[in-house]
Amino acid sequence: MSERTFPSYEEFWPYYVAMHSRAATRWAHLAGTLTGLAVGVYGLARGRPRYAAALPLIGYGTAWPAHVLIEGNNPATFGHPLWSLRGDAQMIGMMLAGRDRELSRIARTWPAGRAREEHPPAGPGAAA
């Protein structure tokens, strides 16, 4: 399966948000990222730099299953790792600023069904 290409991050952004169309998926991202960040910072502050690995391990370990179990799609990270990282930061920043409803609106602007066509559902119980 070929990944969709985007000429710019600005064109990638609505697609990224559409891949996180359900609030539960976004909140799983936020919880995993903030928990991983907290553990990593704690470890660094305590002189245990290996704890810095907590951010990607806990962050992705929480976010990726949410895509399969909640959203029914594959993470955008697999095809667009750097833009997805930037998208995570932007999405989480908007959520922390109380703008989750705006993310829901952006997700609806992506053409209906397009995100699912390009990233078919994965995992148990997924539609064919």
Side-chain angles (χ1 to χ4, degrees):
M1 172 174 74
S2 63
E3 288 291 330
R4 178 170 172 81
T5 57
F6 298 90
S8 67
Y9 174 78
E10 289 69 27
E11 291 188 37
F12 171 77
W13 170 245
Y15 163 79
Y16 176 84
V17 175
M19 297 302 290
H20 301 82
S21 65
R22 297 182 180 181
T25 306
R26 295 191 298 271
W27 285 95
H29 272 260
L30 180 120
T33 299
L34 293 183
T35 301
L37 186 60
V39 171
V41 168
Y42 170 80
L44 290 173
R46 303 290 292 176
R48 298 180 179 150
R50 71 178 184 272
Y51 279 43
L55 178 54
L57 291 175
I58 296 172
Y60 288 125
T62 304
W64 287 350
H67 279 279
V68 174
L69 300 172
I70 299 168
E71 201 72 41
N73 63 25
N74 294 317
T77 304
F78 297 151
H80 308 282
L82 296 178
W83 281 352
S84 292
L85 185 61
R86 181 176 170 187
D88 276 345
Q90 185 173 350
M91 180 176 71
I92 289 168
M94 289 176 72
M95 292 173 73
L96 292 174
R99 297 171 56 195
D100 193 50
R101 283 184 150 184
E102 184 178 345
L103 292 166
S104 293
R105 184 190 53 75
I106 293 168
R108 287 190 304 271
T109 66
W110 182 256
R114 194 165 175 184
R116 290 193 187 274
E117 288 171 15
E118 295 178 14
H119 286 276

